[in-house]
Amino acid sequence: KYGLNVIVAINKFLTDSEKEKELLKNITFKIENPGLYVIVGENGCGKSTILKLILKFYCCNSGELFMNDKDINDIGSRELRNEISYLSKNNFVMRASIYENIKIVAEHATDQEIWQALCAVGLKNFILSLDKGYNTEIGDGALTLSSGQIQKLMLARCMLKKSSLVLLDEVTSDLDPVSESEIIKIIKELAKTKIVISVAHRTQFVNSGDFIIHIHNGTMVGIGKHEELMLHSALYKEMFGEL
């Protein structure tokens, strides 16, 4: 039996500004099985905020969030984040070797495990083409990686961290269609054994989701598979009718 569940029940989440603008309300979903769960909606509707609430970057004003049937408020921030891999479209790459950039999240990983992770995300031929292999330095002032290569490197980190929950925030938004297809394939492979919750708006990514959560003006207006939402939600069909 798969041993992780994520329960999100947000009654209300306000900004901490003087006006206390309401960003999220009435959002409830439960995830119990591995798969790719995609959060969609217009820009500024609160998609990324949901991920940050799960990570305890923010605190929910009214509502509950659980992981493994335990209220995340009862889990220390460090302990919680150790169990989660979080990737955004702007990821941190150290001025260090490819090897060291991977090792930072998995101190006990063997060289073989690191190499296997790099191969699994499609970086094998690229690394073999480098004189120093994965000991090649990358980052500011060193070898520059493409956006696609950086995202593959980040996904290799996810594999080595061995977290059961992966949160992705628009990770393919800056990629060309070919690179996006490659990244989606890797994410789908991850989602066979992990819960992957991803914020996305590009049609290719949304079409790859196993389950979709539709947010509109800070409220959940639909949840289900793409085909179901196309049949029952005019708002969703307006956004993704071309899929």
Side-chain angles (χ1 to χ4, degrees):
K1 178 176 173 57
Y2 188 65
L4 175 70
N5 62 56
V6 179
I7 304 171
V8 174
I10 302 168
N11 300 326
K12 184 185 294 183
F13 174 70
L14 308 173
T15 64
D16 57 2
S17 66
E18 293 181 3
K19 294 183 179 180
E20 288 197 324
K21 179 183 176 183
E22 190 172 67
L23 292 183
L24 296 171
K25 61 181 178 180
N26 302 329
I27 295 173
T28 302
F29 59 86
K30 181 176 182 178
I31 299 172
E32 296 183 282
N33 297 304
L36 175 55
Y37 302 83
V38 184
I39 303 176
V40 304
E42 73 276 10
N43 289 335
C45 70
K47 304 185 297 294
S48 298
T49 303
I50 295 172
L51 301 188
K52 292 172 182 176
L53 285 167
I54 294 172
L55 284 159
K56 289 180 70 173
F57 290 165
Y58 305 138
C59 293
C60 191
N61 301 87
S62 174
E64 298 175 312
L65 289 86
F66 290 84
M67 183 180 296
N68 284 340
D69 297 317
K70 188 174 183 179
D71 191 324
I72 65 169
N73 291 320
D74 296 329
I75 306 173
S77 296
R78 179 175 293 183
E79 178 187 354
L80 177 72
R81 293 167 194 166
N82 281 341
E83 298 301 319
I84 300 172
S85 292
Y86 172 62
L87 278 68
S88 71
K89 64 180 179 181
N90 299 312
N91 286 295
F92 172 66
V93 176
M94 298 188 303
R95 171 66 186 265
S97 69
I98 294 171
Y99 177 91
E100 290 167 323
N101 268 279
I102 292 285
K103 191 81 170 177
I104 190 174
V105 300
E107 294 181 0
H108 301 295
T110 65
D111 291 357
Q112 182 180 7
E113 288 172 331
I114 290 173
W115 178 243
Q116 287 174 341
L118 291 169
C119 291
V121 298
L123 287 174
K124 176 182 177 180
N125 291 337
F126 168 69
I127 292 172
L128 288 175
S129 72
L130 303 172
D131 290 340
K132 295 183 179 180
Y134 63 26
N135 292 311
T136 301
E137 189 174 78
I138 59 175
D140 185 34
L143 177 67
T144 301
L145 302 184
S146 68
S147 297
Q149 288 169 334
I150 290 173
Q151 294 298 42
K152 288 178 180 180
L153 187 65
M154 297 303 107
L155 288 168
R157 281 182 179 177
C158 286
M159 291 178 178
L160 282 173
K161 190 175 179 182
K162 298 182 179 178
S163 51
S164 297
L165 176 61
V166 179
L167 304 180
L168 308 175
D169 194 355
E170 300 279 16
V171 295
T172 65
S173 61
D174 293 336
L175 304 183
D176 61 79
V178 174
S179 296
E180 183 177 27
S181 294
E182 293 174 348
I183 296 299
I184 290 172
K185 184 177 179 181
I186 297 164
I187 291 170
K188 289 288 287 182
E189 194 64 30
L190 273 176
K192 290 180 179 180
T193 57
K194 302 174 186 291
I195 288 176
V196 180
I197 304 176
S198 179
V199 167
H201 71 273
R202 289 173 61 158
T203 55
Q204 184 179 186
F205 199 115
V206 175
N207 196 29
S208 301
D210 299 309
F211 213 72
I212 297 163
I213 299 158
H214 185 191
I215 309 297
H216 179 67
N217 290 335
T219 300
M220 192 174 78
V221 294
I223 184 167
K225 295 183 180 295
H226 167 68
E227 296 78 11
E228 297 169 343
L229 294 176
M230 285 292 291
L231 283 174
H232 302 297
S233 172
L235 274 174
Y236 184 84
K237 189 172 183 179
E238 183 179 347
M239 289 186 70
F240 299 110
E242 74 277 14
L243 287 182

